[in-house]
Each structure stands twice: as structure tokens, then as C-alpha cells.
């Protein structure tokens, strides 16, 4: 009945998971099964985030409370983590009309269609392969999906039931009606179906109608995770100075060992021991002797000045009037995306533009030096502080389930993917590991802070803060590391009111998210890769985003590396210009300033193009408040 076709694995994760409806070769299909191979790598990193993600879904918790039904297993051992090898799909929906006589044909299952009419011929006028689907179906916020119910004539045979029945198709589910053309009789609206899946007490059982191409028919939940060493992270967290070390690494303090990052945690343990020895000294002479021994034998000369990373961080915090109490220590310790950022920067063999300049000077490649020096001078155009190239960026993309009608966790139920594996029904977690090249762009915290102050999003203390103070001030003032990026993407910005921590965090996240999309859309002609082959990964608490090659076979073939070394200047200029104008301006600019022509991505955005607005970059009105854009010269100067 239909041919096979191919799609990239990253595209499958966004559009072709079980329950998805898609258009191919002028017909609609529904994915019903995945051919999976069990992952061969450690899944502990995914398991922690998976359980955390599921347990934060309010309507699933409500179903469990009201109906005593748990849609997802609580034990991670009951999940099947698999890499997708093949997708199985079938024709759906199964209500057709004849292109010639317009008569309706309704089938209740793919099996009955295969048995009764496999070639899709018209039963009434006998024309061959003339049946075309009606592209409407019924969905519910609990995840249910059904075809249309045709109002027929009654009777026993197929011809008796459907003879003369047609649809007055207005291309809108709400206004289209069933019609008997032989009796010239209007049979009423397309009707309604009742869901058979569990619902919460405040949900109606009736399903709503949608066009099959509507994006709300299927919304996969997507989690992106940097595949750092989970067990090693747990060991590091046992270090009492863990939060101070992470903050020091974020600020890039000179004392941080950037070559062997793991040594920072070992060093701090010996440092604590050394400090206790110094405190136990009976007099100055004994203290000086101990300092000399420590400096010579423990390779910690800075102890001669009685300083540590903890002391340095506390000094910075004093300058912005913040005390690192237990709550803020927990904030740092539990900031997954901060740990992922530091792992990517320091433990994935990353090289900054500065590193590349040093390499080119050493190799006497003066043309390369000139190109990279010019790039540094152009960073300010987009507010970039630094860019780091990674030849291997290990990203895990997993989908714990899907929703219909909306991706908002407060409006819909999250449904698991269930299918038979080795004879038993299991909850499957489609998993994709990508280890291709990436560039991490860090936005200047000083520039962000200035922008927030100019727009009165944050109180202006009329004090000039340096880079490190700005970074810590924003981190602790907003507590951005405690919020799920999906929540920040979903928030409607209310900029005319006094802003709480979450709203401030959302403004910063959406600013970074929009910058990322501008670079992705502008970069497709420069990088030499289709935009669907590159993806984004946002680190909100470090004010950074990564652009990485997401396709599996062939990697990026060095495209991002070449862009980093030779075309970063042109890419930055193109991104700035891309932000300024949309094909649909002024309409786009006056309505959120984000659309498919300037900002949206088909497969590369895990937030499904939520939390985007060019207004944040170029200025304009959001919710009645006039704002100055982040790219405005007033902020840049």
C-alpha cells in the first residue's frame, strides 16, 4: 500500500515516534511501533533526569491521585532504553472520499481495509485507486487519538450504509458537515468521540477535532543531556568545597586547573587538610615553617598567602552583598546544566578562539592569526564573550513520552511509549547519542546585566560590576539554575510588572534562546549543513548555548570546525542581520517577532520554538512595555 522512506534519526526523535501522525506522498500515516536496539552505554545519567522529569508532570500526578493509575513505572529498571533502527507506520485516518464521485468510505481498522479494499478503489463508481483521505481526526488532552465517526444511512451492507454520504468540507473541522447528496439532506457536524483513556476530574470526556497536519496532534517531550561521567560527578559532590570549585571554574579563576579538571577536587581536599594544619600552628614561626613545607611538597604555593578558592569566591560574593548560605550552596550543587557546561568546556578538550590564536602564532600561520583576531573584535556585535570549539560534544537526546493539543505540562497528560519487546509490553525510551563537533558561545554577563538595568527589569544599583561580579550577581539574583528550561520557555513575559526571580530567569533564557536561533538560521548557508542537521543546547545558568551537529552518519565532516576557524566573522555578521528583519515584517515584528520565516526550526529545537522573540534583540513592545533590544548600540556601548 505504501513504500518505505528514510529520515535522519534526529528527525525521527521529533516527528516519527509512536503516536505521531505525518504526511508522506500525499497520504497521512500514524507511527505505531519502533524497531529498537538496547543501548550499550551507561544509562544512569538518563535515569536520574527521566524520573525527575516525569515526577514533575502535574496532571500525571493528579491521575495517580484520583484514579490510582500510574502511567509510568516508578522503577527505572522497568524502562527499555533503545536506539531507533526502524520506524513502523500505517495509514491513518481511515475515512476516505472518492476523487470522482465524492462518496465517503469508512474503515474501522487497517486490517479491514487490507482485506476489503487494499487498492483503495471506489466501491460506488468502481474507479481505481481513487480514494483520498479526509485529513481530520479526534484528539484529547489525555493523549487519545481516534478517526472520524461518519454519520451514515444505517443498514447492513457497506453500500447501504454509505451510499450518497459525502462531506461538505469547508477545510475547518468546526464548520464542515456530513451530507447525503442523493437525498439532499444535511446530516450535521462531523460529530464527537468519547475518549476511553483515563482523565482527571476536571477534564471532559469528549474529544476535539483537528486537521491531521496540525502541530498539536503530536508533541514529543524531549530531554537533552550532556553525557558527562555521572558516577564521577556524584563522587565530586562529596567534596565539601564542591560548590566553590564549580563557581570558581565558571568564573575561570586562575587557580582553577583547566588542563586536569578533576585535580581541582583532589587539590581542594588536600588544601582543606593543609589549612587545618596551619590553624593548629602554635606560633608564627611554626606557621611559616608549615607554609614552606606545604608549598614545597603539596604544590600549593598560594597557601603562603593563606588563600583558597573558597576565600576567593566569598570575596566576590561580599562585593555583591551575597552570602553563600545552605540554600545557595544547594542551588549550585543541584544545577545540572552548570555541571554539564563545565564538563563540556574543561573536560571535552575544548579550544577557545584564544587557544586557536596561540596555536596559529606557534605554527607561524599569520593569516589564521589575523582571521581569529578579527573574530574577537566582532564578538561584541552579538554580545558574545567567548566561543569554544569541541570536536566531540556528547549529547544524549531522549523522549520520555508525548502529549497532544499542547506541550504545556499544566494542560495535558504525558503519555509513555508502550510496545511489545521480547514477548512483554514495556515502557520504551527512544534514545539518541550524538558525539559530533560543537561550538559553545558564552554571552557576556556584563552585557546582560547592563541590558536588564537599562530596561528596568532589575534594580539599577548604579554600581559598575566587573565580569566576575556580574556573573555571580545574575546567577544568585535570578537563581536561574533552579528552573527547568522548559518552564522558562513556556512563560509569557510580563515586563511591565515588578519581576520575580522566575520571570527574570525567563527573560534571560528567552534572550539566549533567541540568539541561538538567529545563529542557527543564519548559519545554514555558512556552515554548509542543512539546518535540520544542526541543533542547539542551552546552558541558561552559564549564559551560554551550544550549536552542534546532530546527525549521526558522517558527523559534520569538519563543517563546524571550518566555520570556527575561517567563517565565524561572517557568521556573526549574518546572525546580526538576520535578527533585524523578517520576510513578514512588520506583521511578525508586531506579533511576538518570531515566526517560521525568521526564528522557527523544524527539528532542532527541544522547546518546539517556544520562548523566542526578536523583540528582545532589536527592541519593540512586549506586553505593552517598550524595551531596548540587547543588540542596541546603547547596550553595546
Amino acid at each position: 500500500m505504501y513504500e518505505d522512506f528514510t529520515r535522519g534519526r534526529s528527525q525521527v526523535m521529533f516527528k516519527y515516534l509512536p503516536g505521531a501522525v505525518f504526511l508522506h506522498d500525499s497520504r497521512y500515516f500514524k507511527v505505531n511501533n519502533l524497531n529498537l536496539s538496547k543501548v550499550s552505554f551507561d544509562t544512569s545519567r538518563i535515569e536520574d533526569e527521566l524520573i525527575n522529569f516525569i515526577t514533575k508532570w502535574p496532571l500525571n500526578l493528579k491521575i495517580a491521585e484520583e484514579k490510582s493509575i500510574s502511567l509510568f513505572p516508578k522503577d527505572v529498571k522497568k524502562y527499555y532504553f533503545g536506539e531507533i533502527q526502524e520506524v513502523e507506520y500505517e495509514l491513518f485516518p481511515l475515512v476516505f472520499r472518492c476523487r470522482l464521485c465524492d462518496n465517503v468510505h469508512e474503515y474501522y481498522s487497517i486490517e479491514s481495509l487490507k482485506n476489503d479494499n487494499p487498492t483503495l478503489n471506489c466501491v460506488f463508481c468502481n474507479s481505481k485507486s481513487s480514494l483520498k483521505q479526509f485529513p481530520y481526526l479526534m484528539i484529547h488532552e489525555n493523549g487519545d487519538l481516534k478517526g472520524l465517526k461518519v454519520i451514515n444511512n444505517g443498514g447492513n451492507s457497506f453500500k447501504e450504509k454509505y451510499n450518497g454520504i459525502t462531506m461538505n468540507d469547508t477545510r475547518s473541522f468546526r464548520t464542515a458537515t456530513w451530507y447525503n447528496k442523493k437525498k439532499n439532506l444535511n446530516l450535521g457536524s462531523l460529530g464527537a468521540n468519547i475518549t476511553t483513556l483515563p482523565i482527571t476530574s476536571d477534564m471532559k470526556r469528549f474529544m476535539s477535532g483537528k486537521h491531521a497536519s496540525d502541530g498539536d496532534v503530536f508533541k514529543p517531550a524531549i530531554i537533552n543531556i550532556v553525557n558527562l561521567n555521572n558516577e564521577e560527578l556524584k563522587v565530586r559532590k562529596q567534596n565539601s568545597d564542591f560548590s566553590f570549585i564549580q563557581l570558581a571554574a565558571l568564573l575561570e579563576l586562575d587557580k582553577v586547573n583547566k588542563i586536569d579538571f578533576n585535580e581541582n577536587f583532589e587539590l581542594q581536599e588536600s588544601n582543606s587538610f593543609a589549612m587545618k594544619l596551619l590553624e593548629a600552628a602554635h606560633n608564627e614561626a611554626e606557621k611559616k615553617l608549615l607554609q614552606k613545607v606545604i608549598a614545597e611538597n603539596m604544590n600549593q604555593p598560594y597557601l603562603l598567602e593563606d588563600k583558597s578558592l573558597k576565600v576567593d569566591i566569598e570575596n566576590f560574593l561580599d562585593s555583591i552583598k551575597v552570602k553563600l548560605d545552605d540554600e545557595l550552596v544547594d542551588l549550585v550543587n543541584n544545577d545540572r546544566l552548570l555541571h554539564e557546561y563545565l564538563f563540556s568546556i574543561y573536560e571535552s578538550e575544548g579550544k577557545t578562539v584564544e587557544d586557536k590564536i596561540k596555536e596559529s602564532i606557534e605554527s607561524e600561520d599569520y593569516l589564521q592569526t589575523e582571521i581569529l583576531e578579527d573574530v574577537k573584535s566582532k564578538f561584541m556585535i552579538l554580545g558574545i564573550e567567548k566561543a569554544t570549539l569541541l570536536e566531540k560534544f556528547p549529547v544524549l537526546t531522549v523522549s520520555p513520552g508525548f502529549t497532544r493539543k499542547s506541550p504545556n505540562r499544566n494542560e495535558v497528560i504525558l503519555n509513555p511509549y508502550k510496545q511489545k519487546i521480547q514477548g512483554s509490553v514495556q515502557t520504551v525510551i527512544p534514545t539518541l547519542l550524538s558525539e559530533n563537533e560543537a561550538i559553545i558561545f558564552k554571552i557576556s554577563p556584563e552585557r546582560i546585566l547592563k541590558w536588564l538595568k537599562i530596561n528596568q527589569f532589575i534594580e539599577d544599583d548604579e554600581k559598575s560590576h566587573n565580569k566576575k561580579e556580574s556573573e555571580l550577581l545574575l546567577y544568585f539574583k535570578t537563581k536561574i539554575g533552579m528552573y527547568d528550561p522548559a518552564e522558562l520557555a513556556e512563560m509569557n513575559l510580563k515586563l511591565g510588572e515588578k519581576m520575580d526571580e522566575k520571570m527574570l530567569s525567563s527573560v534571560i533564557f528567552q534572550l539566549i534562546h533567541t540568539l541561538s536561533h538567529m545563529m542557527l538560521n543564519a548559519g545554514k548557508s555558512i556552515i554548509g549543513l542543512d539546518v535540520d542537521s544542526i541543533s542547539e543546547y542551552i546552558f541558561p545558568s552559564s549564559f551560554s548555548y551550544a550549536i552542534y551537529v546532530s546527525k549521526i552518519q558522517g558527523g559534520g565532516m569538519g563543517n563546524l570546525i571550518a566555520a570556527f576557524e575561517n567563517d565565524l566573522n561572517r557568521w556573526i555578521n549574518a546572525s546580526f542581520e538576520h535578527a533585524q528583519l523578517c520576510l513578514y515584517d512588520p506583521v511578525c515584528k508586531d506579533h511576538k517577532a518570531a515566526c517560521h520565516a525568521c526564528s522557527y526550526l523544524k527539528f532542532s529545537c527541544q522547546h518546539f520554538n517556544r520562548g523566542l522573540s526578536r523583540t528582545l534583540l532589536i527592541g519593540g513592545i512586549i506586553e505593552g512595555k517598550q524595551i531596548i533590544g540587547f543588540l542596541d548600540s546603547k547596550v553595546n556601548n
Side-chain angles (χ1 to χ4, degrees), residues 489 513 517 536 592 594 599-612:
H513 192 200
H517 276 237
E536 66 177 352
K592 201 180 178 184
S599 307
Y600 292 170
L601 303 169
K602 271 200 295 184
F603 301 113
S604 305
C605 179
Q606 74 175 109
H607 303 293
F608 299 96
N609 298 313
R610 292 170 293 163
L612 295 169

Side-chain angles (χ1 to χ4, degrees), residues 37 62 79 150 178 195 249 331 356 378 435 503 595 597 600:
S37 62
K62 196 168 184 180
Y79 292 93
V150 179
W178 294 117
T195 180
L331 170 65
K356 286 286 187 179
K378 292 292 175 67
E435 291 185 308
M503 186 61 70
C595 72
Y600 292 170

